[in-house]
Amino acid sequence: MKLPIYMDNHSTTRVDPRVVDAMLPYFTVHFGNAASRNHSFGWDADKGVEAAREKVAKIIAADSREIIFTSGATESNNLALKGVVEMYAEKGNHIITQVTEHRSVLDTAKRLEKAGINVTFLPVDKDGVVNPDDVIKAITDKTILISIMLVNNEIGVIQPVTEIGEIAKDRGILFHCDATQAVGKVRVDVDMMGIDLLSFTAHKFYGPKGIGALYMRKKNPRVRLSPMIDGGGHERGVRSGTLNVPGIVGFGKACEIAEDEMADESERLVKLRERLRLGIMNSLEEVYLNGHPSRRMPGNLNLSFAYVEGESMLMGLKEIALSSGSACTSATLEPSYVLSALGVSAELAHSSIRFGLGRFNTEEEVDYVIKRVIETVNRLRDMSPLYEMAKEGINLKDVSWKKD
Ligand code: PMP
């Protein structure tokens, strides 16, 4: 086993060597501009792009003509929300989303709000799940778009998108889904799920960074979008700019591999995740699982370790790449807004760690992480006066902290 161990696969993933091999010729041999129509360099690049487009479409059960290549899911989310709002302005000015979306949806929605659009941010329950009845209640005759993610990036919870898709369809409202953490890991079928627009990105499932896609339904209904980037009219005029050919080819290869291996990989990751969860929770007290116990994607585990600060834990586990539930900003250390939305206290949110298991993690690595987490939590708790007080039976909520 080699150190350091990478267990932060929701943040990004290592590019699969098979993906690198597929990309390499497109840097050096087939390096043409896919939009060059008059020579073989252009034709070869275009052939690579179109073959990849088929594979990218297949992983979400779509048609290749429904795929718009972008620079990643941030851009896809921006394009979906802003593009719909601008295109359908005459139809209405209300959109619905929910509080644990990724920043690229939330901040886009907030910008639109500033520009005069009405936005409903739905709550989630204590497990992080949106209630489809809340979606129904929020709909008005001005609603033009519902945007709900498939899998959350912090707690791995899977939202009831099929139910929400049906609600949207019945009322003739467009449904956008940020499936960035889901594609390549759980089955996605845009028809079955009633999705009209879907964002995803290659680097979350062993493809390269800087390449993503927006699925845009072509019929029942035919979705139209105002472009956010004007220029040469690439990608059917929706997203201009010279195509990132090696990135697209790598994206296609990553989809092809995921398509073939998803079932076995999911099973393996669930086993590793449960090994990690039980290994930690059976040896340490006051460890809490964040997010739904079963409605979650295979590689995700999010735990709060009471009386231990997440950042201190990460400092003590420098040879393991993990993520904490605190967002360091210049002046404050804010608890994760996702955990806060679940009703997790600020203390427990600051004590949370996200474990993101992926294709290249092994059982041996999991066992090492279990051992090091137990050691580190015990060491930090031994130094914690709060933990000592709690052990003595003092209810910390009743303590009044006096400053002389
Ligand atoms: N949505 C979700 C749910 C994500 O996890 C991420 C990446 N952290 C994004 C969108 C943004 O993706 P990209 O890095 O491709 O811009």
Side-chain angles (χ1 to χ4, degrees):
M1 194 187 67
K2 260 182 33 203
L3 295 178
I5 292 171
Y6 188 74
M7 212 174 269
D8 195 17
N9 284 282
H10 304 328
S11 175
T12 194
T13 56
R14 174 183 153 195
V15 180
D16 191 301
R18 292 169 288 181
V19 170
V20 177
D21 285 346
M23 291 172 71
L24 285 176
Y26 287 87
F27 289 104
T28 51
V29 186
H30 314 302
F31 59 81
N33 186 329
S36 296
R37 298 283 172 224
N38 308 316
H39 51 70
S40 65
F41 295 89
W43 302 329
D44 286 348
D46 183 58
K47 234 166 61 197
V49 166
E50 292 315 313
R53 200 187 295 276
E54 296 280 343
K55 294 172 189 170
V56 170
K58 190 160 176 240
I59 203 154
I60 58 166
D63 187 282
S64 63
R65 289 165 302 177
E66 300 177 305
I67 298 296
I68 302 295
F69 287 117
T70 65
S71 63
T74 297
E75 186 189 333
S76 299
N77 286 338
N78 271 264
L79 176 58
L81 269 66
K82 292 173 182 167
V84 164
V85 162
E86 195 175 309
M87 180 57 81
Y88 295 85
E90 279 179 18
K91 202 169 167 221
N93 63 349
H94 177 228
I95 66 176
I96 298 170
T97 184
Q98 60 91 22
V99 290
T100 67
E101 291 292 315
H102 187 260
R103 281 246 170 263
S104 53
V105 167
L106 289 180
D107 289 358
T108 303
K110 284 176 194 159
R111 183 177 295 279
L112 290 169
E113 212 172 21
K114 274 200 200 126
I117 301 299
N118 294 321
V119 184
T120 302
F121 295 93
L122 296 174
V124 291
D125 69 13
K126 65 171 189 15
D127 292 325
V129 185
V130 173
N131 183 346
D133 287 339
D134 289 346
V135 177
I136 294 174
K137 282 184 216 142
I139 292 171
T140 73
D141 57 357
K142 294 280 182 230
T143 309
I144 49 172
L145 181 71
I146 298 170
S147 179
I148 305 286
M149 71 199 325
L150 181 45
V151 168
N152 182 269
N153 44 300
E154 286 191 35
I155 50 174
V157 65
I158 301 172
Q159 297 292 359
V161 296
T162 306
E163 286 93 318
I164 296 167
E166 212 174 300
I167 292 165
K169 204 99 293 128
D170 284 350
R171 291 157 179 81
I173 298 165
L174 294 178
F175 180 33
H176 167 249
C177 180
D178 176 3
T180 303
Q181 292 287 346
V183 172
K185 292 159 205 160
V186 299
R187 281 273 154 228
V188 178
D189 183 320
V190 286
D191 284 339
M192 231 176 64
M193 294 172 159
I195 294 166
D196 300 311
L197 290 150
L198 180 134
S199 305
F200 56 126
T201 193
H203 76 98
K204 303 288 187 185
F205 60 106
Y206 318 101
K209 293 167 187 58
I211 183 71
L214 180 65
Y215 157 79
M216 242 179 107
R217 179 172 290 284
K218 237 178 141 36
K219 55 174 192 274
N220 305 320
R222 181 186 180 84
V223 177
R224 291 171 306 133
L225 286 181
S226 289
M228 294 296 110
I229 298 176
D230 294 308
H234 309 75
E235 299 298 273
R236 285 182 284 114
V238 179
R239 202 281 192 179
S240 286
T242 297
L243 293 182
N244 170 2
V245 178
I248 290 169
V249 169
F251 191 5
K253 187 67 187 177
C255 290
E256 183 184 275
I257 296 169
E259 184 84 37
D260 290 346
E261 300 180 0
M262 193 179 327
D264 290 345
E265 190 162 287
S266 296
E267 205 177 301
R268 193 182 78 87
L269 287 178
V270 167
K271 278 198 195 125
L272 282 185
R273 199 258 316 277
E274 287 308 290
R275 186 181 183 93
L276 181 62
R277 183 177 71 80
L278 291 170
I280 292 171
M281 291 182 98
N282 287 343
S283 298
L284 288 171
E285 57 186 21
E286 295 213 51
V287 179
Y288 304 98
L289 177 71
N290 296 311
H292 199 280
S294 56
R295 268 192 91 102
R296 67 195 303 144
M297 76 147 147
N300 176 277
L301 182 66
N302 191 311
L303 298 175
S304 284
F305 299 84
Y307 312 108
V308 174
E309 227 265 309
E311 295 289 312
S312 313
M313 238 178 110
L314 295 189
M315 299 273 274
L317 294 168
K318 283 222 172 88
E319 80 282 28
I320 307 167
L322 300 165
S323 187
S324 85
S326 305
C328 245
T329 61
S330 53
T332 57
L333 190 66
E334 283 175 34
S336 139
Y337 68 88
V338 172
L339 296 181
S340 301
L342 270 57
V344 174
S345 68
E347 288 84 5
L348 279 181
H350 280 307
S351 303
S352 73
I353 298 288
R354 180 185 70 181
F355 301 85
L357 290 157
R359 181 173 293 167
F360 302 108
N361 288 122
T362 62
E363 203 171 277
E364 197 186 6
E365 287 179 336
V366 167
D367 290 344
Y368 178 86
V369 171
I370 294 170
K371 177 175 116 339
R372 290 286 293 120
V373 166
I374 295 169
E375 275 170 20
T376 308
V377 170
N378 282 333
R379 185 171 57 78
L380 291 169
R381 283 182 177 171
D382 279 348
M383 299 190 303
S384 159
L386 292 181
Y387 184 61
E388 203 172 310
M389 286 166 77
K391 291 284 274 185
E392 284 166 11
I394 300 168
N395 188 345
L396 295 177
K397 289 203 179 73
D398 297 339
V399 176
S400 76
W401 306 99
K402 215 171 85 192
K403 197 171 153 203
D404 282 327

